[in-house]
Amino acid sequence: MKQYILFFFCLLLLPVLQVQGANWSECSQENLVKTALQASHLKEREKAITKISEKGCLAQVAAKTKEKRIRLICVEKLIGYSSFTDYLLNDNGMFVNALIDLNKPETVPPLIFALKNGHIGARILVTKAFSTIKDSRVVDALINELKNKEINHLVVKALANNPDQKAVIPLINLLSTEHFWTKYGAIVALGNIGDKRAVNPLIKILKHELDLGESVQFNSLLHRTAEALGKIGDQRAYLKMNDGSSL
């Protein structure tokens, strides 16, 4: 009877052992990993990381450490591996946040990958980051995300920070949305881009908002539309800013 109990206990324990084994399966530099995680001095931990050459080991240290600096050092090394993006597919935000914190040109491609392929939480983090990171490489990926209603109110803000004429038509198409912040951000982005193709669609919004009878001081959409037209250089905007007259 005891033998049967022991047998079933082993069966129950086997998946746990397999999972634990999987965590170390890609890493044969266990001593370096332990030093990187447990050494009492920061310099010792950093030195251990410089000696780690295996991707799986670096990923383990990045995942297990509680120190931001150690995680950033690991992720910066991981970027050099072509398969690093595999970690971004199921990332809960740890790797993405590290890439954002590094804020280096070489972090942009993996962030773009995360925007295209990551979980929604990671995509939100990346889109917010692109609202402050200026890089022409992000434009195409952002334009592609405009169709995503979950995050397009953030995407338009990122495009306002990275103005590009390629985004004009997709942004114009968003002006018909009922979502206030998506429309608001699209207007700001079009103003920053400064393309004349946006003039008539923006004037249409301007007329609609004026017909509501609100003053420009109390209508932020009206204010931003007039401001966008002013940036583009359409003189019809200035009259609305000054006295709210009809077009």
Side-chain angles (χ1 to χ4, degrees):
M1 184 67 179
K2 290 181 179 179
Q3 291 178 330
Y4 286 112
I5 293 173
L6 181 61
F7 174 73
F8 284 113
F9 176 75
C10 290
L11 286 178
L12 291 172
L13 188 59
L14 183 60
V16 176
L17 294 173
Q18 288 176 332
V19 171
Q20 290 179 341
N23 289 337
W24 294 91
S25 63
E26 295 183 13
C27 177
S28 62
Q29 299 176 298
E30 297 178 23
N31 290 333
L32 287 173
V33 169
K34 290 177 181 177
T35 302
L37 290 170
Q38 299 173 9
S40 56
H41 297 293
L42 178 61
K43 287 187 177 180
E44 290 182 61
R45 296 195 292 277
E46 291 179 354
K47 187 176 180 180
I49 294 171
T50 62
K51 294 181 179 180
I52 295 175
S53 59
E54 295 182 17
K55 178 186 68 173
C57 298
L58 288 168
Q60 282 184 48
V61 177
K64 293 180 179 180
T65 184
K66 295 180 180 179
E67 294 184 73
K68 181 178 178 180
R69 177 171 172 77
I70 295 298
R71 181 174 295 116
L72 294 184
I73 294 172
C74 290
V75 172
E76 188 167 13
K77 284 194 69 174
L78 281 167
I79 295 172
Y81 292 83
S82 59
S83 57
F84 167 62
T85 51
D86 292 346
Y87 292 110
L88 301 176
L89 291 172
N90 299 302
D91 182 31
N92 61 3
M94 182 194 72
F95 286 110
V96 166
N97 274 320
L99 289 168
I100 293 169
D101 289 337
L102 283 169
N103 193 23
K104 294 185 176 183
E106 58 266 31
T107 64
V108 171
L111 284 173
I112 290 174
F113 179 90
L115 178 61
K116 292 179 178 178
N117 304 286
H119 289 323
I120 184 64
R123 292 160 77 181
I124 289 172
L125 288 172
V126 174
T127 307
K128 287 182 176 179
F130 286 161
S131 295
T132 57
I133 297 173
K134 285 185 176 291
D135 194 307
S136 60
R137 291 175 292 176
V138 310
V139 173
D140 288 334
L142 288 171
I143 291 173
N144 189 56
E145 290 301 317
L146 284 175
K147 63 181 182 292
N148 187 339
K149 293 183 179 181
E150 289 183 289
I151 62 172
N152 62 9
H153 63 291
L154 300 172
V155 175
V156 290
K157 187 176 180 181
L159 284 170
N161 183 58
N162 291 278
D164 191 297
Q165 290 187 338
K166 289 186 289 186
V168 171
I169 298 303
L171 286 168
I172 287 174
N173 292 338
L174 273 185
L175 295 178
S176 59
T177 181
E178 295 297 320
H179 190 284
F180 177 85
W181 289 113
T182 301
K183 181 182 289 189
Y184 183 97
I187 290 168
V188 173
L190 287 167
N192 289 355
I193 295 170
D195 192 291
K196 296 287 186 182
R197 288 174 292 176
V199 169
N200 286 334
L202 288 173
I203 287 176
K204 184 178 179 180
I205 291 178
L206 201 65
K207 287 180 177 180
H208 177 266
E209 295 302 315
L210 285 169
D211 288 343
L212 296 177
E214 294 184 15
S215 168
V216 68
Q217 286 84 3
F218 301 103
N219 187 321
S220 57
L221 207 62
L222 177 59
H223 179 85
R224 287 302 177 199
T225 305
E227 185 177 70
L229 284 165
K231 286 183 177 181
I232 295 172
D234 191 279
Q235 296 299 318
R236 286 170 286 184
Y238 298 116
L239 182 60
K240 316 305 158 304
M241 291 288 288
N242 292 329
D243 60 18
S245 304
S246 60
L247 290 160

